[in-house]
Amino acid sequence: MLVKNVFRQNSFYTALYQMIPDNHILKQIDSAIDLSFVNDLLADRYCKNFGRPAK
């Protein structure tokens, strides 16, 4: 029996992000500035066991 390969998109937000042109100002800011320290600063404000990461 053959199995059909079906495209599955990761998330709705990934599809939206891919629609934004690479030269958009917010994408340029995202690539130029590292804001990963914010996750550490706000870690105690979010539940570690439930829900999505604070991104």
Side-chain angles (χ1 to χ4, degrees), residues 19-39:
M19 293 174 66
I20 301 170
D22 290 334
N23 64 349
H24 191 276
I25 185 69
L26 294 178
K27 275 195 173 181
Q28 292 174 357
I29 292 170
D30 184 44
S31 66
I33 300 174
D34 180 20
L35 296 173
S36 61
F37 69 93
V38 175
N39 289 336

Side-chain angles (χ1 to χ4, degrees), residues 3-54:
V3 178
K4 289 184 180 180
N5 289 334
V6 178
F7 172 75
R8 293 185 186 197
Q9 138 183 344
N10 290 337
S11 76
F12 175 71
Y13 299 104
T14 302
L16 284 178
Y17 189 78
Q18 291 173 348
M19 293 174 66
I20 301 170
D22 290 334
N23 64 349
H24 191 276
I25 185 69
L26 294 178
K27 275 195 173 181
Q28 292 174 357
I29 292 170
D30 184 44
S31 66
I33 300 174
D34 180 20
L35 296 173
S36 61
F37 69 93
V38 175
N39 289 336
D40 295 332
L41 290 175
L42 299 176
D44 61 337
R45 304 276 194 264
Y46 293 92
C47 181
K48 293 176 179 50
N49 301 320
F50 299 104
R52 294 175 22 167

